[in-house]
Amino acid sequence: MQETAGAIRTRARAALRRAILDAALDQLATTGADGLSVRQVARQVGLASSAIYRYVPSRDALLTELILAGYDQLGEAAEQAEAGCDRGDLRGRFAATARAVRSWGAAHPHHYALLYGSPVPGYAAPEETAGPASRVPLVLSGILRDAAVAGAPPPPRPGPEPDSGILEPEVLTTVLAGVAPRAATEAVLVWASLFGVVSFELFGHFVGSVADADRFFEAALGSLMDRLALPG
């Protein structure tokens, strides 16, 4: 069946948007996010500087597109890795998720830096980025819920129960819905620790201290899973 003119235009527009994002990612590798230039992107894809604004109205809009794409790509990688594990293997599911995060970051260091590096001066991420940013934490919280259903004890924690106001209420009703307060607090700490280890490796902060990054990461995984009291 012959493709309609409207379908051809839609496909061409989608291809151009992909080219714009690819050009912007190339810029991230050379200038960093704070040096991103919509006009330079336009030149790279062969558009007039005025024409590109029909696709991305501003630098901030372009940054948001890149952030949304990055969170979705990272989330998809983590979800697929975790889905390939036996449902009863809670530690295997956690490890697969964590390794997927590390692998995606190593393959896309500049995109990872946009998501988890220094804030871009003058840019504030809009609310629409919150959902995609939650994809990896949602995988991890699902593992915790399954651990509770399986009868695993809550994570050990010295001292009193954490203050009920320590986490944002919205987080407890969305990303961490159904997770006990003690486990929820530990989950946020483990989430931050996982991305901290990945960031330290990608940004060169282990140079001079860690001799074997692979073995260190696996040791960190074991420690984080123990902290969550994941059985296995």
Side-chain angles (χ1 to χ4, degrees), residues 6-213:
I8 293 173
R9 285 194 297 270
T10 298
R11 182 162 51 82
R13 183 178 180 87
L16 182 54
R17 287 187 66 83
R18 286 194 298 272
I20 289 171
L21 291 182
D22 287 344
L25 284 172
D26 288 344
Q27 264 201 54
L28 287 182
T30 56
T31 67
D34 55 343
L36 185 64
S37 165
V38 177
R39 290 178 177 272
Q40 179 59 36
V41 169
R43 285 193 290 270
Q44 188 168 336
V45 299
L47 283 175
S49 57
S50 58
I52 195 172
Y53 291 102
R54 294 200 297 267
Y55 300 90
V56 283
S58 65
R59 182 209 68 158
D60 285 5
L62 183 55
L63 282 171
T64 298
E65 293 258 6
L66 291 171
I67 289 169
L68 290 171
Y71 279 137
D72 279 332
Q73 291 171 22
L74 174 58
E76 182 176 0
E79 290 162 0
Q80 288 183 351
E82 191 267 348
C85 298
D86 183 273
R87 296 295 85 192
D89 183 6
L90 298 170
R91 292 177 77 91
R93 288 164 60 187
F94 181 95
T97 303
R99 290 172 188 143
V101 170
R102 182 185 183 221
S103 295
W104 188 88
H108 307 88
H110 303 291
H111 213 165
Y112 181 95
L114 176 62
L115 303 181
Y116 298 106
S118 299
V120 181
Y123 173 79
E127 184 64 28
E128 66 185 291
T129 61
S134 299
R135 290 179 67 168
V136 174
L138 281 169
V139 173
L140 299 179
S141 65
I143 296 170
L144 283 180
R145 283 190 292 271
D146 287 351
V149 170
R157 181 184 177 90
E161 288 286 336
D163 181 357
S164 60
I166 198 169
L167 299 178
E168 292 284 356
E170 184 178 359
V171 171
L172 294 172
T173 59
T174 55
V175 178
L176 294 171
V179 177
R182 174 179 290 184
T185 304
E186 293 300 303
V188 174
L189 175 59
V190 165
W191 171 76
S193 299
L194 168 61
F195 280 89
V197 170
V198 173
S199 295
F200 262 51
E201 180 181 353
L202 288 180
F203 303 152
H205 298 303
F206 284 146
V207 174
S209 58
V210 172
D212 189 323

